[in-house]
Amino acid sequence: MTTIIKVDRVPVLDRGGAITTTPLVTTRSSGGENLITSGMSVYPVGTGAPLHSHNCDEHVTVLDGEAEVLVDGEVTRLGRFDTTYIPSPIPHLFRNVGQTPLRILWVYSSAKVTRTFTETGVTVEHLSPEDRMDR
């Protein structure tokens, strides 16, 4: 099934901490035919995701702004169009270190995505009400 997603028709999700997400390819938007999950998230200045891991691989591209990614204890600064590939289940986090909002495009290698918060060990369904960035 081919799916065309018009971003201006997609409801934006509040992820906590003023972070927002626009889901793109999801099980719902693809009628259950997806093998990937994707979307865009916007992080205001000074915000970020807590350290976490996923049940699948993750690709992130910075669309606008400046970020830092922490993977395996190493911090790397990222700018526009810089891209990461993080295999499951490596813990990581992204944070906005610039002076403008950070917008990222993310793609997961699964239709069913979970997030495990490193600090608590709690696993939640990706984009569920429990999947909050203000933990």
Side-chain angles (χ1 to χ4, degrees), residues 52-57 72 86-92 116 118:
H52 64 278
S53 59
H54 300 285
N55 63 312
C56 55
D57 297 354
D72 287 334
I86 303 170
S88 176
I90 295 174
H92 59 280
T116 301
T118 304

Side-chain angles (χ1 to χ4, degrees), residues 46-130:
T47 64
L51 192 63
H52 64 278
S53 59
H54 300 285
N55 63 312
C56 55
D57 297 354
E58 178 182 35
H59 151 229
V60 169
T61 297
V62 174
L63 299 177
D64 290 303
E66 296 176 58
E68 281 184 348
V69 61
L70 170 66
V71 181
D72 287 334
E74 184 176 332
V75 175
T76 304
R77 194 167 184 106
L78 304 172
R80 191 166 190 226
F81 302 134
D82 288 344
T83 299
T84 64
Y85 171 74
I86 303 170
S88 176
I90 295 174
H92 59 280
L93 64 76
F94 291 88
R95 58 185 163 231
N96 182 345
V97 296
Q99 300 302 310
T100 61
L102 168 67
R103 179 181 301 272
I104 62 171
L105 169 70
W106 43 263
V107 180
Y108 296 104
S109 65
S110 178
K112 180 175 171 41
V113 181
T114 63
R115 181 186 316 272
T116 301
F117 294 98
T118 304
E119 186 175 316
T120 63
V122 171
T123 299
V124 298
E125 182 180 340
H126 183 251
L127 300 183
S128 69
E130 296 80 25

